Amino acid sequence: MFELRARWSVLADRIDSGTPADRDRTVDALRSFAILGVVLGHWLVTALTTADGGLSTTSPLAHLPWLAPVSWLFQTLAVFFLVGGHVAARGYASARARGVPYGTWIGQRLSRLFRPVAAVLVLWSVTAGGLLLGGAEPGTVETLLRLVLSPLWFLLVFAALTAATPLVTRLAPVWPLAVVAAVDVWRFGLGGPEWIGWVNVAAGWLVPYTLGAAWSRGAFTGRRPAALLLGTGAAATVALVLWGGYPASMVGVPGAPISNLNPPTLAAATFGLAQCGLALLLRGPLERAMRRPRVWAKVALMNLSAMTVFLWHQTAMMAVTALGLLAPADLPGLHTVPDSAQWIAARLLWLPVFAAALGVCWAAFRTYEQARRPQRSGSSSTVAASRPAAGSPPAPAAEITHV
């Protein structure tokens, strides 16, 4: 144990010393927080049960509505887009200053973003085909594929906004927020068609993305603008939930007539404002924490594999659930209906098992994320991968996974 701690201490010091002095480590910390929020949120609010024969998806939020505030802790997508807008705006400005064409810039970013997706699609295409040939129920296979593929919508929206960075970097967040509000008024207040809500898939996530771009221009150098975002966003969200008819859950709930997430509603947008304000207010404490080599090393290594963690966390959960079917009875917190506090307690005990399965996926597929880089003389591969050249955009896996 002492030897492991000593080796970790040496590695942490090397990563810390190999990080450029001008790097804003708070960006990486916020991204890691957002990734962990998504992973833990999915593991806690998504359940695969055998109640109807085969595997079907449900959620404890559908059975225990009082858990809705938990979704406020783990719905961290706004932070993804805040950081994404910030890094993309800075990266594009840097590319222009160095004379890099837009096509080259966006091509590099999107290839880094989607390279690890190919491994997921190939493996699950083979797995789905094998399950169907083996006699698995089509409904079960559909459930599994939906869990694997549903997070990919985030990458498509993120990629579209990244491609539009030159057009939206100076767009004020109030404009996409106004679009979200107008769509909701039309949809809910004036009886408009349901399809109009999907306009908010772009407009809703453009709100934190443009906040990130404004951050890159120095709009949040003081604490007052961030505190204003937090206060007004939180107040507006509470008002919309209490008096506007919006659901309290910030994630989708099976069977619910309205979802705040699919597509994003005004409540989701105002909640994102509050979340972004809080994230920006936490920059000071995060900056101090990131000066500690061991803390920074964990964040840096997490960012090196952020896409791998994001893409494979549902697979890890499903693998554990499938292996659990070999047990002679349904396992509490894994196959049982999430309708009691006992299920929650049991589910928490399964989280380390999910994490171990995710570790196996990470070991198998992380190489698809980490682009090959020339080895620097006298430095380890970990340090080399975590140390981009001065003045270059962060790497190795687009905005959401750079170190």
Side-chain angles (χ1 to χ4, degrees), residues 314-327:
Q314 294 283 57
T315 297
M317 180 190 70
M318 288 186 287
V320 172
T321 303
L323 288 175
L325 293 174
L326 299 176

Side-chain angles (χ1 to χ4, degrees), residues 46 82 193 297-298 370:
T46 304
L82 173 76
K298 294 175 183 177
Q370 297 174 9

Side-chain angles (χ1 to χ4, degrees), residues 78 88 170 273 298 324 375:
R170 296 193 175 274
L273 291 178
K298 294 175 183 177
Q375 181 80 15

Side-chain angles (χ1 to χ4, degrees), residues 216-298:
S216 72
R217 300 193 301 270
F220 297 100
T221 53
R223 294 177 61 84
R224 185 174 178 180
L228 185 62
L229 272 182
L230 173 59
T232 56
T237 304
V238 171
L240 289 169
V241 170
L242 293 180
W243 301 295
Y246 288 87
S249 174
M250 287 298 152
V251 298
V253 179
I258 300 175
S259 169
N260 275 322
L261 190 60
N262 297 310
T265 63
L266 182 59
T270 57
F271 175 71
L273 291 178
Q275 208 173 45
C276 291
L278 179 60
L280 292 167
L281 284 174
L282 290 175
R283 285 177 297 168
L286 285 175
E287 182 181 5
R288 292 188 291 272
M290 292 303 105
R291 293 173 186 166
R292 300 168 58 185
R294 287 154 189 79
V295 176
W296 165 241
K298 294 175 183 177

Side-chain angles (χ1 to χ4, degrees), residues 144-398:
L144 299 178
L145 289 177
R146 187 184 303 115
L147 285 177
V148 171
L149 300 179
S150 59
L152 298 185
W153 71 262
F154 154 77
L155 296 181
L156 295 176
V157 177
F158 191 90
L161 294 184
T162 300
T165 294
L167 300 177
V168 303
T169 49
R170 296 193 175 274
L171 182 68
V174 68
W175 295 113
L177 184 63
V179 171
V180 174
V183 167
D184 274 16
V185 169
W186 188 3
R187 180 183 172 199
F188 300 127
L190 302 178
E194 282 297 313
W195 61 262
I196 196 64
W198 294 103
V199 172
N200 285 349
V201 172
W205 300 118
L206 192 54
V207 175
Y209 194 87
T210 52
L211 282 173
W215 175 16
S216 72
R217 300 193 301 270
F220 297 100
T221 53
R223 294 177 61 84
R224 185 174 178 180
L228 185 62
L229 272 182
L230 173 59
T232 56
T237 304
V238 171
L240 289 169
V241 170
L242 293 180
W243 301 295
Y246 288 87
S249 174
M250 287 298 152
V251 298
V253 179
I258 300 175
S259 169
N260 275 322
L261 190 60
N262 297 310
T265 63
L266 182 59
T270 57
F271 175 71
L273 291 178
Q275 208 173 45
C276 291
L278 179 60
L280 292 167
L281 284 174
L282 290 175
R283 285 177 297 168
L286 285 175
E287 182 181 5
R288 292 188 291 272
M290 292 303 105
R291 293 173 186 166
R292 300 168 58 185
R294 287 154 189 79
V295 176
W296 165 241
K298 294 175 183 177
V299 170
L301 293 174
M302 174 67 182
N303 275 272
L304 276 173
S305 300
M307 276 289 290
T308 303
V309 170
F310 177 79
L311 291 171
W312 292 97
H313 72 278
Q314 294 283 57
T315 297
M317 180 190 70
M318 288 186 287
V320 172
T321 303
L323 288 175
L325 293 174
L326 299 176
D330 288 344
L331 299 176
L334 199 62
H335 308 123
T336 53
V337 177
D339 57 0
S340 67
Q342 289 75 18
W343 184 93
I344 299 172
R347 188 65 162 195
L348 292 174
L349 295 177
W350 282 107
L351 295 185
V353 184
F354 295 161
L358 180 56
V360 174
C361 294
W362 171 83
F365 299 104
R366 65 188 177 90
T367 55
Y368 292 94
E369 177 175 0
Q370 297 174 9
R372 293 183 178 179
R373 291 176 173 271
Q375 181 80 15
R376 294 189 182 188
S377 175
S379 64
S380 71
S381 60
T382 302
V383 177
S386 63
R387 185 179 181 181
S392 66

Side-chain angles (χ1 to χ4, degrees), residues 22-239:
D22 60 348
R23 186 172 191 83
D24 187 352
R25 302 184 182 191
T26 63
V27 174
D28 303 279
L30 289 173
R31 185 182 300 105
S32 295
F33 165 78
I35 293 164
L36 291 177
V38 170
V39 171
L40 291 176
H42 282 162
W43 286 352
L44 288 172
V45 305
T46 304
L48 286 167
T49 72
T50 58
D52 302 320
L55 289 176
S56 58
T57 307
T58 186
S59 170
L61 296 173
H63 301 274
L64 304 169
W66 54 269
L67 282 176
V70 174
S71 67
W72 292 43
L73 298 177
F74 296 105
Q75 173 50 283
T76 53
L77 285 176
V79 179
F80 270 121
F81 286 93
L82 173 76
V83 172
H86 172 72
V87 176
R90 290 186 60 185
Y92 180 65
S94 174
R96 289 190 63 187
R98 292 180 285 114
V100 177
Y102 167 79
T104 301
W105 175 78
I106 193 60
Q108 291 173 345
R109 289 189 175 274
L110 294 187
S111 65
R112 293 168 182 168
L113 187 65
F114 286 109
R115 187 186 301 116
V117 174
V120 176
L121 296 179
V122 169
L123 182 139
W124 272 101
S125 296
V126 174
T127 300
L131 289 172
L132 291 173
L133 291 175
E137 294 184 3
T140 296
V141 177
E142 180 185 355
T143 295
L144 299 178
L145 289 177
R146 187 184 303 115
L147 285 177
V148 171
L149 300 179
S150 59
L152 298 185
W153 71 262
F154 154 77
L155 296 181
L156 295 176
V157 177
F158 191 90
L161 294 184
T162 300
T165 294
L167 300 177
V168 303
T169 49
R170 296 193 175 274
L171 182 68
V174 68
W175 295 113
L177 184 63
V179 171
V180 174
V183 167
D184 274 16
V185 169
W186 188 3
R187 180 183 172 199
F188 300 127
L190 302 178
E194 282 297 313
W195 61 262
I196 196 64
W198 294 103
V199 172
N200 285 349
V201 172
W205 300 118
L206 192 54
V207 175
Y209 194 87
T210 52
L211 282 173
W215 175 16
S216 72
R217 300 193 301 270
F220 297 100
T221 53
R223 294 177 61 84
R224 185 174 178 180
L228 185 62
L229 272 182
L230 173 59
T232 56
T237 304
V238 171

